Amino acid sequence: MDAEAAFRRVGGRGLAWAAFGTDDVHVHARGVPEDAAFEWGSITKTVTGTLLALMVADETVHLRTPLSDLLPGARPLPLEALASHTSGLPRLLPDSIRFTASVWRDRRDPYASISEARLLEDLRRTRLRPRRYRYSNAGAGLLGLALARAAGTSYDSLLEQRICAPLGLSSVTTTDRQELLDGADRRGRAVPHWHFTDALAGAGALRGSVRDLARWAQAVGGRAPEPLATALEEALRPRVRTRAAEVGLGWQRSTLGGPAGLRAPRPAEAALRWHNGGTGGFRSFVAWDEARACGIAVLSAGARSVDGLAVRLLHVDRRTALP
């Protein structure tokens, strides 16, 4: 399937993408303004992991700091394990069919009612699994909450001070804004935006433009001031390896191939530094290609995956990129 066919398959209410190198960003859009804001979903986890690295560098916290030191009543899970999905937590809390079913019955805005008190109570009642890789929205949310608590501020303020201001990301926030598009389900029907309290903001709350998403990935490629540049190196360093990826603090590193389209790189093999995301009515993907020193960011106001489209767009001239 070529890139044009992949565009048609994605559908949705609008699409924006940016192809970029170290110094240039070329933005394109279909059906929406180029500066439209989308929900980024789980790409938020790359920011939360980088915030951890920044706060380790200034000794506000340490990688092995127990969660319970920052959130009284929580379990003593290491912050590094929360960022790398190796804490033993399930995707959602508590680990029960009843709770998971109730969340997805309310999938139109499933995280809006989860408060800090509820999250900590759910954590107390959740059975931990063995400490291997297990993707966890709950773990990333708890990490974001703990970092905000350690900094004495909100997650949104921490994001603005430590990430957005240094990089000039003017559209990125966890709150609603005028430019935020309406999303759509797989049938094209409008769905409400997803909202996150500080209890789970670190898992998926970010909204912003595709240009700012590209600038975030350019930072991964070396375009970042200190101390952010050093923090990104730490966030990208692998902590655990799966069949599909090497996993750092939020970030993943893969190369093309394998049954799912991505596989963990072999030693000394160049790869993509990437993450994707999804909420009720949005999908996202961002990647930086180490070998070619270029990247792609794709945001869709629709619920169909954009991963395949993004990989195809990596191989199109970034100045033209199928307008």
Side-chain angles (χ1 to χ4, degrees):
M1 182 170 58
D2 62 20
E4 185 59 41
F7 274 116
R8 293 193 298 270
R9 184 173 182 178
V10 166
R13 296 192 165 204
L15 185 76
W17 67 102
F20 49 92
T22 304
D23 299 310
D24 59 325
V25 178
H26 300 274
V27 174
H28 310 269
R30 289 191 175 188
V32 297
E34 290 185 359
D35 61 351
F38 298 73
E39 294 179 359
W40 289 8
S42 285
I43 289 176
T44 303
K45 294 178 176 68
T46 66
V47 171
T48 303
T50 305
L51 286 170
L52 171 59
L54 281 165
M55 294 175 70
V56 167
D58 64 21
E59 299 187 344
T60 303
V61 298
H62 301 283
L63 290 173
R64 302 298 298 176
T65 295
L67 182 67
S68 52
D69 282 7
L70 303 174
L71 300 177
R75 292 184 170 185
L77 303 172
L79 300 185
E80 180 181 33
L82 295 172
S84 59
H85 303 285
T86 56
S87 65
L89 290 173
R91 181 177 288 264
L92 298 170
L93 298 181
D95 187 16
S96 70
I97 295 174
R98 176 194 62 77
F99 183 78
T100 302
S102 70
V103 165
W104 290 107
R105 277 198 302 270
D106 189 28
R107 61 187 177 273
R108 294 174 65 83
D109 198 359
Y111 298 107
S113 63
I114 300 179
S115 64
E116 177 181 343
R118 177 179 171 186
L119 187 65
L120 293 177
E121 175 59 21
D122 289 343
L123 177 61
R124 185 186 66 79
R125 296 189 292 115
T126 296
R127 178 174 61 86
L128 295 179
R129 304 285 185 85
R131 295 264 179 108
R132 60 177 178 80
Y133 177 81
R134 189 184 304 276
Y135 190 86
S136 178
N137 284 323
L142 285 162
L143 175 61
L145 177 62
L147 295 177
R149 184 65 53 81
T153 188
S154 66
Y155 183 89
D156 194 65
S157 294
L158 189 60
L159 162 74
E160 172 59 29
Q161 295 164 11
R162 304 303 300 268
I163 303 290
C164 295
L167 293 177
L169 307 183
S170 60
S171 73
V172 181
T173 180
T174 65
T175 61
D176 286 343
R177 56 184 305 137
Q178 184 177 358
E179 298 87 354
L180 183 60
L181 298 171
D182 291 328
D185 64 16
R186 293 178 66 87
R187 296 182 180 181
R189 299 172 299 191
V191 295
H193 296 132
W194 278 14
H195 299 87
F196 296 77
T197 65
D198 253 19
L200 284 170
L206 264 61
R207 293 98 178 271
S209 70
V210 76
R211 185 179 298 277
D212 276 353
L213 182 55
R215 287 171 174 162
W216 176 230
Q218 282 181 317
V220 170
R223 191 180 176 86
E226 293 292 355
L228 185 55
T230 298
L232 278 164
E233 290 181 8
E234 179 66 20
L236 290 160
R237 185 169 63 82
R239 267 71 180 178
V240 63
R241 182 182 176 89
T242 72
R243 290 182 179 181
E246 295 176 337
V247 181
L249 303 179
W251 286 98
Q252 302 182 80
R253 185 172 180 269
S254 305
T255 193
L256 301 182
L262 293 170
R263 61 168 175 80
R266 301 183 182 94
E269 185 177 21
L272 303 179
R273 303 170 179 182
W274 70 280
H275 212 290
N276 59 4
T279 59
F282 294 85
R283 291 294 182 271
S284 59
F285 186 96
V286 67
W288 176 260
D289 187 324
E290 296 172 347
R292 298 168 61 215
C294 65
I296 194 74
V298 181
L299 295 172
S300 172
R304 295 182 183 274
S305 172
V306 297
D307 295 11
L309 171 62
V311 170
R312 286 168 177 81
L313 287 174
L314 269 173
H315 301 285
V316 176
D317 186 307
R318 61 178 177 266
R319 292 166 298 177
T320 56
L322 295 178

